[in-house]
Amino acid sequence: GQNIDQPTEMTATEGAIVQINCTYQTSGFNGLFWYQQHAGEAPTFLSYNVLDGLEEKGRFSSFLSRSKGYSYLLLKELQMKDSASYLCAVMDSNYQLIWGAGTKLIIKP
Amino acid sequence: EAQVTQNPRYLITVTGKKLTVTCSQNMNHEYMSWYRQDPGLGLRQIYYSMNVEVTDKGDVPEGYKVSRKEKRNFPLILESPSPNQTSLYFCASTPWQEQGPQHFGDGTRLSIL
């Protein structure tokens, strides 16, 4: 079956760096997405990786290794507003999105 | 402003009483889909539509119906709601077959008693 694994919850300190990992096993691969979701709100798009390597967007970066079925989202200079859930989603060979359950990130002062 | 609009945002109803959740997008997107989100399970796709009059089942279609008579609208219909359909529902759209970031509506929290 298809599977996306992410840690359930992580805690980090304001101003620090945190890395959220995502491993996947899917029928084919057509890209990996990261979304941010604040409690009770809709997910918002953060990044998209389809080739191996690092994509940087301001304080957020996302890395992909297709051979390892692995991605991470790196958040730098953490702010309190970064407290949210981070969702990893992989597009399979049928162009269907498979979603992970999300990682709840708690930022402490 | 580009947006996906869902209504209602919140609904409490009883088992068996038919309900419809509307979804409308103003971005001329071909691809629309419905998800439900339950604690610990992530987003699960209910139905999707690649264009007008084209709809397909997602991972959890049982108990739901959809229609796509116009490009902008994609309503979700619960003919006979049951308590296990209590969930947070999201409608989303993309310019083409999921090959791009999805634009989500604000969500609809349904409680079926």
Side-chain angles (χ1 to χ4, degrees), chain A residues 33 35 37 40-45 48 87 91 94-102, chain B residues 9 35 37 40-43 45 58-59 90 97-102 104-106 109:
Chain A
F33 296 84
Y35 284 80
Q37 186 178 25
E41 297 182 9
T44 54
F45 170 73
Y48 172 64
L87 313 179
M91 190 182 299
N94 294 320
Y95 295 98
Q96 183 172 4
L97 268 181
I98 313 299
W99 293 82
Chain B
R9 291 291 314 279
Y35 293 95
Q37 188 175 34
L41 293 180
L43 285 162
Q45 191 177 50
D59 297 318
F90 288 104
Q97 189 184 358
E98 297 229 53
Q99 292 182 57
Q102 302 217 11
F104 283 86
D106 288 336
R109 189 167 289 282

Side-chain angles (χ1 to χ4, degrees), chain B residues 9-39:
Chain B
R9 291 291 314 279
Y10 305 91
L11 180 63
I12 301 173
T13 188
V14 295
T15 299
K17 187 177 181 182
K18 180 180 178 180
L19 68 91
T20 299
V21 185
T22 62
C23 174
S24 180
Q25 50 95 3
N26 62 0
M27 296 167 281
N28 203 38
H29 287 169
E30 288 79 19
Y31 193 98
M32 297 183 74
S33 59
W34 274 103
Y35 293 95
R36 61 178 288 173
Q37 188 175 34
D38 302 290

Side-chain angles (χ1 to χ4, degrees), chain A residues 84-95:
Chain A
S85 287
Y86 291 85
L87 313 179
C88 174
V90 173
M91 190 182 299
D92 68 11
S93 57
N94 294 320
Y95 295 98

Side-chain angles (χ1 to χ4, degrees), chain A residues 18-31:
Chain A
V18 71
Q19 177 175 311
I20 302 174
N21 295 325
C22 170
T23 58
Y24 62 89
Q25 289 177 305
T26 56
S27 303
F29 179 84
N30 279 301

